[in-house]
Amino acid sequence: MTMVNIGSQFKIKNRINALRTERKMTQQALADAVSVTRATINAMEKGAYNPSLELAFRLARFFEVDIQSIFFVEDHDEDN
């Protein structure tokens, strides 16, 4: 079995703000729909908080998309 080194730095980004805006929802309305606080939605949209896997699934179900449509990885090239 080949071992893969995944030690490179990366940042998890999301499209929560865009998806919420498309539906003309407030942060509070989304928070209520997925059972979290408005502050949690705000922190996720700012990139200051990564949700639990359970919350990621709740968001995906709410928006009727797969998790990768909401969350994605931005690689950080250490040479740049």
Side-chain angles (χ1 to χ4, degrees), residues 23-50:
R23 292 183 182 223
K24 297 179 171 67
M25 296 183 75
T26 64
Q27 287 181 338
Q28 186 63 59
L30 178 57
D32 292 344
V34 296
S35 302
V36 297
T37 65
R38 186 201 58 78
T40 298
I41 299 299
N42 185 47
M44 285 189 294
E45 288 184 359
K46 289 182 174 183
Y49 173 74
N50 289 324

mmCIF file of all heavy atoms in Angstrom, residues 23-50:
data_model
loop_
_atom_site.group_PDB
_atom_site.id
_atom_site.type_symbol
_atom_site.label_atom_id
_atom_site.label_comp_id
_atom_site.label_asym_id
_atom_site.label_seq_id
_atom_site.Cartn_x
_atom_site.Cartn_y
_atom_site.Cartn_z
ATOM 1 N N ARG A 23 -31.068 32.510 -2.246
ATOM 2 C CA ARG A 23 -32.407 32.224 -1.701
ATOM 3 C C ARG A 23 -33.003 33.406 -0.952
ATOM 4 O O ARG A 23 -34.061 33.278 -0.341
ATOM 5 C CB ARG A 23 -32.330 31.014 -0.770
ATOM 6 C CG ARG A 23 -32.025 29.752 -1.534
ATOM 7 C CD ARG A 23 -32.014 28.568 -0.617
ATOM 8 N NE ARG A 23 -31.669 27.379 -1.381
ATOM 9 C CZ ARG A 23 -32.262 26.216 -1.256
ATOM 10 N NH1 ARG A 23 -33.232 26.081 -0.390
ATOM 11 N NH2 ARG A 23 -31.897 25.202 -1.980
ATOM 12 N N LYS A 24 -32.291 34.552 -0.997
ATOM 13 C CA LYS A 24 -32.762 35.774 -0.335
ATOM 14 C C LYS A 24 -33.080 35.531 1.140
ATOM 15 O O LYS A 24 -34.105 35.959 1.661
ATOM 16 C CB LYS A 24 -33.970 36.351 -1.072
ATOM 17 C CG LYS A 24 -33.657 36.781 -2.496
ATOM 18 C CD LYS A 24 -34.880 37.310 -3.186
ATOM 19 C CE LYS A 24 -34.583 37.943 -4.513
ATOM 20 N NZ LYS A 24 -34.123 37.121 -5.565
ATOM 21 N N MET A 25 -32.167 34.825 1.807
ATOM 22 C CA MET A 25 -32.330 34.488 3.219
ATOM 23 C C MET A 25 -31.411 35.335 4.074
ATOM 24 O O MET A 25 -30.304 35.656 3.660
ATOM 25 C CB MET A 25 -31.940 33.024 3.476
ATOM 26 C CG MET A 25 -32.779 31.997 2.805
ATOM 27 S SD MET A 25 -32.221 30.351 3.290
ATOM 28 C CE MET A 25 -32.892 30.283 4.948
ATOM 29 N N THR A 26 -31.852 35.623 5.267
ATOM 30 C CA THR A 26 -30.980 36.260 6.243
ATOM 31 C C THR A 26 -30.129 35.184 6.908
ATOM 32 O O THR A 26 -30.445 33.986 6.843
ATOM 33 C CB THR A 26 -31.793 36.984 7.334
ATOM 34 O OG1 THR A 26 -32.553 36.001 8.052
ATOM 35 C CG2 THR A 26 -32.707 38.048 6.743
ATOM 36 N N GLN A 27 -29.062 35.624 7.572
ATOM 37 C CA GLN A 27 -28.259 34.680 8.348
ATOM 38 C C GLN A 27 -29.112 34.031 9.432
ATOM 39 O O GLN A 27 -28.983 32.837 9.688
ATOM 40 C CB GLN A 27 -27.059 35.388 8.981
ATOM 41 C CG GLN A 27 -25.987 35.760 7.995
ATOM 42 C CD GLN A 27 -24.802 36.438 8.657
ATOM 43 O OE1 GLN A 27 -24.921 37.000 9.748
ATOM 44 N NE2 GLN A 27 -23.656 36.403 7.996
ATOM 45 N N GLN A 28 -29.993 34.810 10.041
ATOM 46 C CA GLN A 28 -30.842 34.264 11.104
ATOM 47 C C GLN A 28 -31.788 33.189 10.571
ATOM 48 O O GLN A 28 -31.983 32.159 11.208
ATOM 49 C CB GLN A 28 -31.647 35.374 11.785
ATOM 50 C CG GLN A 28 -32.434 34.895 12.991
ATOM 51 C CD GLN A 28 -31.527 34.370 14.097
ATOM 52 O OE1 GLN A 28 -30.680 35.116 14.588
ATOM 53 N NE2 GLN A 28 -31.701 33.115 14.489
ATOM 54 N N ALA A 29 -32.373 33.414 9.401
ATOM 55 C CA ALA A 29 -33.283 32.419 8.825
ATOM 56 C C ALA A 29 -32.547 31.113 8.530
ATOM 57 O O ALA A 29 -33.078 30.026 8.810
ATOM 58 C CB ALA A 29 -33.928 32.965 7.557
ATOM 59 N N LEU A 30 -31.327 31.201 8.001
ATOM 60 C CA LEU A 30 -30.546 29.992 7.748
ATOM 61 C C LEU A 30 -30.171 29.323 9.061
ATOM 62 O O LEU A 30 -30.276 28.098 9.183
ATOM 63 C CB LEU A 30 -29.298 30.312 6.927
ATOM 64 C CG LEU A 30 -28.375 29.124 6.641
ATOM 65 C CD1 LEU A 30 -29.115 27.993 5.929
ATOM 66 C CD2 LEU A 30 -27.156 29.571 5.845
ATOM 67 N N ALA A 31 -29.759 30.114 10.024
ATOM 68 C CA ALA A 31 -29.404 29.562 11.335
ATOM 69 C C ALA A 31 -30.578 28.797 11.933
ATOM 70 O O ALA A 31 -30.407 27.676 12.439
ATOM 71 C CB ALA A 31 -28.964 30.689 12.262
ATOM 72 N N ASP A 32 -31.767 29.381 11.877
ATOM 73 C CA ASP A 32 -32.964 28.713 12.393
ATOM 74 C C ASP A 32 -33.230 27.414 11.640
ATOM 75 O O ASP A 32 -33.607 26.400 12.243
ATOM 76 C CB ASP A 32 -34.177 29.632 12.290
ATOM 77 C CG ASP A 32 -34.106 30.830 13.229
ATOM 78 O OD1 ASP A 32 -33.285 30.822 14.179
ATOM 79 O OD2 ASP A 32 -34.871 31.789 12.995
ATOM 80 N N ALA A 33 -33.026 27.425 10.336
ATOM 81 C CA ALA A 33 -33.324 26.249 9.505
ATOM 82 C C ALA A 33 -32.394 25.074 9.799
ATOM 83 O O ALA A 33 -32.797 23.915 9.652
ATOM 84 C CB ALA A 33 -33.239 26.623 8.029
ATOM 85 N N VAL A 34 -31.154 25.367 10.204
ATOM 86 C CA VAL A 34 -30.194 24.284 10.454
ATOM 87 C C VAL A 34 -29.827 24.154 11.937
ATOM 88 O O VAL A 34 -28.870 23.467 12.299
ATOM 89 C CB VAL A 34 -28.926 24.415 9.574
ATOM 90 C CG1 VAL A 34 -29.273 24.273 8.100
ATOM 91 C CG2 VAL A 34 -28.180 25.714 9.855
ATOM 92 N N SER A 35 -30.591 24.840 12.795
ATOM 93 C CA SER A 35 -30.467 24.717 14.257
ATOM 94 C C SER A 35 -29.110 25.129 14.824
ATOM 95 O O SER A 35 -28.496 24.399 15.607
ATOM 96 C CB SER A 35 -30.795 23.289 14.697
ATOM 97 O OG SER A 35 -32.088 22.949 14.286
ATOM 98 N N VAL A 36 -28.632 26.305 14.386
ATOM 99 C CA VAL A 36 -27.435 26.910 14.972
ATOM 100 C C VAL A 36 -27.727 28.382 15.228
ATOM 101 O O VAL A 36 -28.816 28.869 14.920
ATOM 102 C CB VAL A 36 -26.185 26.770 14.056
ATOM 103 C CG1 VAL A 36 -25.817 25.308 13.854
ATOM 104 C CG2 VAL A 36 -26.390 27.465 12.715
ATOM 105 N N THR A 37 -26.760 29.096 15.770
ATOM 106 C CA THR A 37 -26.947 30.522 16.003
ATOM 107 C C THR A 37 -26.569 31.325 14.766
ATOM 108 O O THR A 37 -25.824 30.841 13.902
ATOM 109 C CB THR A 37 -26.083 31.012 17.183
ATOM 110 O OG1 THR A 37 -24.696 30.876 16.821
ATOM 111 C CG2 THR A 37 -26.387 30.236 18.450
ATOM 112 N N ARG A 38 -27.060 32.557 14.711
ATOM 113 C CA ARG A 38 -26.685 33.454 13.615
ATOM 114 C C ARG A 38 -25.180 33.694 13.641
ATOM 115 O O ARG A 38 -24.528 33.781 12.603
ATOM 116 C CB ARG A 38 -27.437 34.780 13.722
ATOM 117 C CG ARG A 38 -27.185 35.679 12.509
ATOM 118 C CD ARG A 38 -27.466 37.140 12.789
ATOM 119 N NE ARG A 38 -26.672 37.673 13.882
ATOM 120 C CZ ARG A 38 -25.369 38.034 13.772
ATOM 121 N NH1 ARG A 38 -24.731 37.903 12.636
ATOM 122 N NH2 ARG A 38 -24.731 38.502 14.814
ATOM 123 N N ALA A 39 -24.607 33.764 14.836
ATOM 124 C CA ALA A 39 -23.160 33.969 14.963
ATOM 125 C C ALA A 39 -22.371 32.828 14.316
ATOM 126 O O ALA A 39 -21.310 33.056 13.730
ATOM 127 C CB ALA A 39 -22.772 34.116 16.425
ATOM 128 N N THR A 40 -22.893 31.607 14.390
ATOM 129 C CA THR A 40 -22.233 30.464 13.748
ATOM 130 C C THR A 40 -22.245 30.628 12.237
ATOM 131 O O THR A 40 -21.225 30.415 11.568
ATOM 132 C CB THR A 40 -22.908 29.141 14.154
ATOM 133 O OG1 THR A 40 -22.780 28.984 15.565
ATOM 134 C CG2 THR A 40 -22.293 27.953 13.446
ATOM 135 N N ILE A 41 -23.387 31.013 11.677
ATOM 136 C CA ILE A 41 -23.472 31.239 10.225
ATOM 137 C C ILE A 41 -22.513 32.356 9.823
ATOM 138 O O ILE A 41 -21.764 32.234 8.849
ATOM 139 C CB ILE A 41 -24.922 31.581 9.799
ATOM 140 C CG1 ILE A 41 -25.887 30.437 10.132
ATOM 141 C CG2 ILE A 41 -24.975 31.953 8.315
ATOM 142 C CD1 ILE A 41 -25.598 29.120 9.440
ATOM 143 N N ASN A 42 -22.505 33.438 10.582
ATOM 144 C CA ASN A 42 -21.629 34.562 10.301
ATOM 145 C C ASN A 42 -20.159 34.127 10.317
ATOM 146 O O ASN A 42 -19.392 34.455 9.408
ATOM 147 C CB ASN A 42 -21.865 35.688 11.314
ATOM 148 C CG ASN A 42 -21.076 36.920 11.001
ATOM 149 O OD1 ASN A 42 -21.051 37.382 9.867
ATOM 150 N ND2 ASN A 42 -20.428 37.472 12.010
ATOM 151 N N ALA A 43 -19.766 33.365 11.330
ATOM 152 C CA ALA A 43 -18.381 32.907 11.439
ATOM 153 C C ALA A 43 -18.001 31.988 10.283
ATOM 154 O O ALA A 43 -16.894 32.083 9.746
ATOM 155 C CB ALA A 43 -18.170 32.197 12.779
ATOM 156 N N MET A 44 -18.917 31.108 9.871
ATOM 157 C CA MET A 44 -18.627 30.238 8.725
ATOM 158 C C MET A 44 -18.465 31.056 7.455
ATOM 159 O O MET A 44 -17.541 30.821 6.670
ATOM 160 C CB MET A 44 -19.733 29.191 8.549
ATOM 161 C CG MET A 44 -19.670 28.079 9.563
ATOM 162 S SD MET A 44 -20.800 26.701 9.200
ATOM 163 C CE MET A 44 -22.387 27.487 9.387
ATOM 164 N N GLU A 45 -19.359 32.019 7.243
ATOM 165 C CA GLU A 45 -19.273 32.838 6.034
ATOM 166 C C GLU A 45 -17.976 33.632 5.977
ATOM 167 O O GLU A 45 -17.420 33.846 4.905
ATOM 168 C CB GLU A 45 -20.477 33.776 5.935
ATOM 169 C CG GLU A 45 -21.763 33.058 5.597
ATOM 170 C CD GLU A 45 -22.944 33.989 5.400
ATOM 171 O OE1 GLU A 45 -22.794 35.219 5.538
ATOM 172 O OE2 GLU A 45 -24.034 33.470 5.089
ATOM 173 N N LYS A 46 -17.470 34.051 7.123
ATOM 174 C CA LYS A 46 -16.209 34.799 7.182
ATOM 175 C C LYS A 46 -14.985 33.903 7.114
ATOM 176 O O LYS A 46 -13.865 34.379 7.021
ATOM 177 C CB LYS A 46 -16.148 35.615 8.475
ATOM 178 C CG LYS A 46 -17.088 36.783 8.498
ATOM 179 C CD LYS A 46 -16.918 37.551 9.788
ATOM 180 C CE LYS A 46 -17.755 38.814 9.780
ATOM 181 N NZ LYS A 46 -17.530 39.608 11.000
ATOM 182 N N GLY A 47 -15.194 32.584 7.180
ATOM 183 C CA GLY A 47 -14.073 31.653 7.158
ATOM 184 C C GLY A 47 -13.395 31.504 8.502
ATOM 185 O O GLY A 47 -12.297 30.961 8.602
ATOM 186 N N ALA A 48 -14.042 31.974 9.570
ATOM 187 C CA ALA A 48 -13.457 31.911 10.909
ATOM 188 C C ALA A 48 -13.832 30.631 11.645
ATOM 189 O O ALA A 48 -13.326 30.385 12.736
ATOM 190 C CB ALA A 48 -13.911 33.123 11.713
ATOM 191 N N TYR A 49 -14.724 29.828 11.074
ATOM 192 C CA TYR A 49 -15.194 28.620 11.739
ATOM 193 C C TYR A 49 -15.516 27.569 10.699
ATOM 194 O O TYR A 49 -16.209 27.848 9.710
ATOM 195 C CB TYR A 49 -16.450 28.945 12.567
ATOM 196 C CG TYR A 49 -17.125 27.740 13.180
ATOM 197 C CD1 TYR A 49 -16.564 27.095 14.277
ATOM 198 C CD2 TYR A 49 -18.315 27.250 12.664
ATOM 199 C CE1 TYR A 49 -17.182 25.983 14.845
ATOM 200 C CE2 TYR A 49 -18.945 26.152 13.222
ATOM 201 C CZ TYR A 49 -18.373 25.527 14.317
ATOM 202 O OH TYR A 49 -18.987 24.430 14.865
ATOM 203 N N ASN A 50 -15.000 26.362 10.907
ATOM 204 C CA ASN A 50 -15.355 25.230 10.063
ATOM 205 C C ASN A 50 -16.373 24.386 10.814
ATOM 206 O O ASN A 50 -16.154 24.039 11.980
ATOM 207 C CB ASN A 50 -14.126 24.374 9.733
ATOM 208 C CG ASN A 50 -13.194 25.073 8.782
ATOM 209 O OD1 ASN A 50 -13.627 25.795 7.889
ATOM 210 N ND2 ASN A 50 -11.906 24.885 8.976
#
